[in-house]
Amino acid sequence: NFFSIADKSNAVSGDFEDAKAFKNGYAFVKNNGKWGTVDEKGKLVIPFTYDSLDYEWFQKALMFRASLNGKLGILDLTGKVIIPNEYEVIATALPNYLKVKKNGKWGVIRTTGAPVVDFLYDHISNKLDDPIAPEWPSIIQKKDKFGLMNEKGEVIYEPKALTIDYVGEGMFAVKEKKTFGVLNSKASNEYNAQFDQIEAFGNGLAAVRKG
């Protein structure tokens, strides 16, 4: 159980197999091999259902990330299921999107669960895999080809590159054949592939190599 130093008494009584420290007003507790959540008054908000639980922020809104049988879902602070346990990966993205992986394929849904981009891609760049890269545009992968997708779910550069690397300041190093060119965040500039290597941008400049 939980003991209150201030009150010198049990704050949350219970008979838990395991318990984690209170954070954000909630604590994760375990019974019969499954995890649930209690609030500071000891009320069981999420029943003992899940293999693991963690905190997740939808921008400024606190939610719970729940794992069950190897699948992830999202619950709100009342325990209501917002996103069902259907996904192998869930990564939040501005402004109110989730980049998700289901049955080995990636797509994009809203935080309400409404679909935005069908599950067409072998990978979509996200803050879990690459926290340095911007959320948008995202680097998308179809088989062994790479492209770019904006925050509306529109493909702004078709998956045809052999590789795409984010090189800072909203710029992407793109290699279609043997050499690299540079695309901006809207893929609106002229693609001029001529470099063997492009390093990270800083103050509007990047070191490049030829030969």
Side-chain angles (χ1 to χ4, degrees), residues 65-81:
R65 176 188 294 259
S67 175
L68 181 62
N69 299 323
K71 302 292 185 180
L72 295 174
I74 302 291
L75 300 92
D76 69 10
L77 297 184
T78 68
K80 178 183 177 182
V81 175

Side-chain angles (χ1 to χ4, degrees), residues 49-126:
T49 304
Y50 297 97
D51 299 325
S52 66
L53 288 165
D54 205 348
Y55 302 98
E56 182 68 72
W57 290 92
F58 282 13
Q59 308 310 323
K60 295 183 179 181
L62 177 64
M63 300 283 178
F64 297 113
R65 176 188 294 259
S67 175
L68 181 62
N69 299 323
K71 302 292 185 180
L72 295 174
I74 302 291
L75 300 92
D76 69 10
L77 297 184
T78 68
K80 178 183 177 182
V81 175
I82 303 299
I83 306 296
N85 289 82
E86 298 178 352
Y87 304 101
E88 290 105 60
V89 182
I90 297 177
T92 58
L94 294 169
N96 60 350
Y97 295 120
L98 301 173
K99 299 174 181 179
V100 291
K101 184 180 181 182
K102 183 176 182 180
N103 299 324
K105 293 291 185 180
W106 285 79
V108 180
I109 61 176
R110 295 188 182 277
T111 50
T112 59
V116 177
V117 176
D118 290 337
F119 293 88
L120 302 173
Y121 301 102
D122 295 302
H123 193 258
I124 298 176
S125 61
N126 59 84

Side-chain angles (χ1 to χ4, degrees), residues 151-172:
E151 68 278 6
K152 297 178 182 179
E154 301 168 340
V155 176
I156 58 175
Y157 174 79
E158 292 292 336
K160 57 183 179 180
L162 298 177
T163 183
I164 297 179
D165 299 314
Y166 180 65
V167 287
E169 298 190 357
M171 307 300 284
F172 294 83

Side-chain angles (χ1 to χ4, degrees), residues 1 125 135 138 176 186 198:
N1 57 28
S125 61
E135 293 179 345
S138 297
E176 290 185 0
K186 295 182 180 180
I198 301 174

